[in-house]
Amino acid sequence: EAERYFSRDFAADNKAYQAAGALARAIPATVTPLLLVMFTSRSGGKKDEAVTDQRILLGLFAIGLACGCIGVIAFKDIFVQFIFGQRNLTAANMVIPLSITMVFGGLSQAIGIWSLASRWLRLAILYGTLGLAYWLTLLWAGHTPAALLHTMPLAATAAFGILCAAWLLTLRSQPP
């Protein structure tokens, strides 16, 4: 079924998409251990010192995502050439929207984990609902690889914006 949406050379396009996706997924994968430590700390203690440490871990996670994205995009041609053994412009061009998607998806995941560890059920439900809306949007708008690659970063950014606003409002309403 997917063959009809790719170019005539489905095998080459599919390989390019898979390689670009693997590079982009490496961005959150390298900093996810920080989230695991933050979750354990957040669910275990909410004293002033612990909260400061948790915010530092969250900040390091965000910085790691941003640096990873910049690095993958800056060196995409080298990484793609390493994977294929030759230049592949199709895969290199796919890296940018997929990397941006991974950054905003990772930031949303961080807020979702924070809300779960804090036992903020409404925010956790919003996180799940936005995830479902993201996938439904991709199913609705992503009928071609180009449309999918255009929609993914926009939908991930929108979901993060909504979730971040709700998270900040929740943080403000919590007693110190």
Side-chain angles (χ1 to χ4, degrees), residues 146-168:
L148 189 62
L149 289 169
H150 178 75
T151 304
M152 288 171 73
L154 294 175
T157 303
F160 170 71
I162 293 166
L163 189 61
C164 186
W167 179 59
L168 291 172

Side-chain angles (χ1 to χ4, degrees), residues 19-93:
L23 286 172
R25 285 187 300 277
I27 296 168
T30 55
V31 291
T32 295
L34 289 170
L35 277 186
L36 300 175
V37 171
M38 192 259 321
F39 178 83
T40 304
S41 174
R42 182 83 188 147
S43 59
K46 294 181 182 128
K47 294 187 172 50
D48 289 337
E49 187 177 309
V51 171
T52 301
D53 291 345
Q54 295 154 12
R55 288 183 178 152
I56 290 170
L57 287 170
L58 199 57
L60 288 172
F61 178 77
I63 290 168
L65 284 175
C67 291
C69 181
I70 291 167
V72 167
I73 290 172
F75 298 108
K76 69 183 184 312
D77 293 322
I78 294 169
F79 293 149
V80 167
Q81 186 168 356
F82 179 75
I83 291 170
F84 289 103
Q86 61 187 6
R87 292 184 54 148
N88 187 319
L89 198 55
T90 303
N93 288 334

